[in-house]
């Protein structure tokens, strides 16, 4: 079992839909949670960053972390065709093998059609 | 500000041949990472440098992979000899410090390797 699990999709939604992406993890040492967006033939770029449990909102994007359930989510409101990409969750911690190292999910491929 | 630069962007070689990838991190970033991304998977760390020192190379297959970061700036990742299973995207990333897990890692576009 991988330390970070993510449904690869693919996920296809119409423009304007609310998109929900999520990951589960097994290592309780993870404290920092990130969502990266990766366009085809490009490197991942940081989209959202959250420390510990709670919510964080940035424009149309909301990241949620529930450490008790080891579950993180990314919501995209009013989705646009330009949001079509692969979304990768990533996490790290502050001790041992989790320090300074990102553990990625396998990514969810999202297509938003006009 | 220029981002992380990688070259070549694409490389096709035959198995058993050597191959090398080059990375130039963002100016001033002390920490450099090499990741391997297989098709349909997330990146997996191969090696992390703090300046010139490899501080985490536990995931690097040392029988065929090697890396160096001379002078604490550019880095080269080498595979010798390459195997069919090495076909993947090799990503380089950098961050200002790296010791802190709050540091943002900035990724380059990657080198797509195909081994025939």
């Amino acid at each position: 079992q991988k330390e970070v699990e993510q449904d690869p999709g693919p996920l296809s939604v119409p423009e304007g839909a609310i998109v929900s992406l999520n990951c589960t993890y097994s290592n309780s040492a993870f404290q920092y949670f990130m969502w990266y967006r990766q366009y085809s033939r490009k490197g991942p770029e940081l989209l959202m960053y959250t420390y510990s449990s709670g919510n964080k909102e940035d424009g149309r994007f909301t990241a949620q972390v529930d450490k008790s359930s080891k579950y993180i989510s990314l919501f995209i409101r009013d989705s646009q065709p330009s949001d079509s990409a692969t979304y990768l969750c990533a996490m790290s911690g502050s001790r041992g093998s989790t320090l300074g190292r990102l553990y990625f999910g396998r990514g969810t491929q999202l297509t938003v059609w006009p | 500000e220029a981002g992380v630069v990688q070259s070549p962007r694409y490389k096709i070689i035959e198995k058993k041949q050597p191959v090398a990838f080059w990375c130039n991190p963002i100016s001033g970033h002390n920490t450099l990472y090499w990741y391997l991304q297989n098709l349909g998977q997330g990146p997996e760390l191969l090696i992390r440098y703090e300046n010139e020192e490899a501080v985490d190379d536990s995931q690097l297959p040392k029988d065929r992979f090697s890396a160096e970061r001379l002078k604490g700036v550019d880095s080269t990742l080498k595979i010798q000899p390459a195997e069919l299973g090495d076909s993947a995207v090799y990503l380089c990333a950098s961050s200002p410090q790296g010791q802190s897990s709050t540091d943002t890692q900035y990724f380059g576009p990657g080198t797509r390797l195909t081994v025939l």
Side-chain angles (χ1 to χ4, degrees):
Chain A
Q1 182 187 11
K2 296 191 69 174
E3 291 192 81
V4 182
E5 297 284 352
Q6 183 176 9
D7 186 339
L11 188 60
S12 181
V13 301
E15 183 175 355
I18 297 175
V19 176
S20 173
L21 306 167
N22 54 74
C23 291
T24 60
Y25 63 95
S26 56
N27 192 337
S28 57
F30 290 141
Q31 293 181 293
Y32 306 95
F33 304 92
M34 289 140 276
W35 286 94
Y36 279 80
R37 178 173 62 194
Q38 186 173 25
Y39 291 111
S40 180
R41 309 279 176 170
K42 302 288 186 182
E45 58 177 338
L46 183 65
L47 195 60
M48 296 285 286
Y49 170 89
T50 310
Y51 168 66
S52 195
S53 286
N55 295 355
K56 184 174 184 180
E57 186 173 321
D58 184 0
R60 297 183 295 111
F61 299 89
T62 300
Q64 291 185 350
V65 175
D66 181 349
K67 291 191 69 179
S68 63
S69 301
K70 295 187 174 65
Y71 186 89
I72 70 171
S73 301
L74 177 71
F75 298 95
I76 307 174
R77 292 183 299 279
D78 188 25
S79 56
Q80 302 294 311
S82 58
D83 295 329
S84 298
T86 296
Y87 290 80
L88 297 151
C89 63
M91 44 200 81
S92 65
S94 56
R95 53 186 170 92
S97 64
T98 68
L99 175 63
R101 175 193 286 196
L102 289 180
Y103 292 78
F104 283 89
R106 63 184 299 181
T108 299
Q109 185 178 345
L110 171 68
T111 300
V112 181
W113 42 276
Chain B
E1 179 184 86
V4 176
V5 179
Q6 290 188 247
S7 69
R9 290 295 314 277
Y10 304 90
K11 188 73 177 180
I12 300 174
I13 62 172
E14 294 189 346
K15 62 181 181 181
K16 301 185 181 180
Q17 294 300 306
V19 65
F21 314 123
W22 175 80
C23 174
N24 179 241
I26 292 173
S27 177
H29 281 195
N30 295 330
T31 306
L32 184 145
Y33 313 77
W34 283 103
Y35 286 88
L36 165 68
Q37 186 173 25
N38 285 303
L39 185 65
Q41 302 294 320
E44 297 178 21
L45 182 69
L46 288 172
I47 190 168
R48 172 166 66 102
Y49 281 94
E50 296 287 345
N51 299 303
E52 304 88 3
E53 182 182 1
V55 296
D56 185 354
D57 64 356
S58 57
Q59 303 302 309
L60 189 72
K62 298 180 182 63
D63 57 338
R64 297 185 300 106
F65 286 66
S66 64
E68 61 182 11
R69 191 185 184 195
L70 301 176
K71 301 181 181 179
V73 181
D74 295 0
S75 177
T76 303
L77 177 69
K78 298 178 182 178
I79 308 175
Q80 183 172 8
E83 297 179 352
L84 295 177
D86 295 332
S87 295
V89 176
Y90 292 82
L91 293 163
C92 180
S94 70
S95 65
Q97 293 184 2
Q99 282 298 326
S100 168
S101 285
T102 62
D103 252 8
T104 297
Q105 295 187 26
Y106 298 86
F107 285 81
T111 295
R112 184 175 297 271
L113 173 67
T114 301
V115 182
L116 303 176

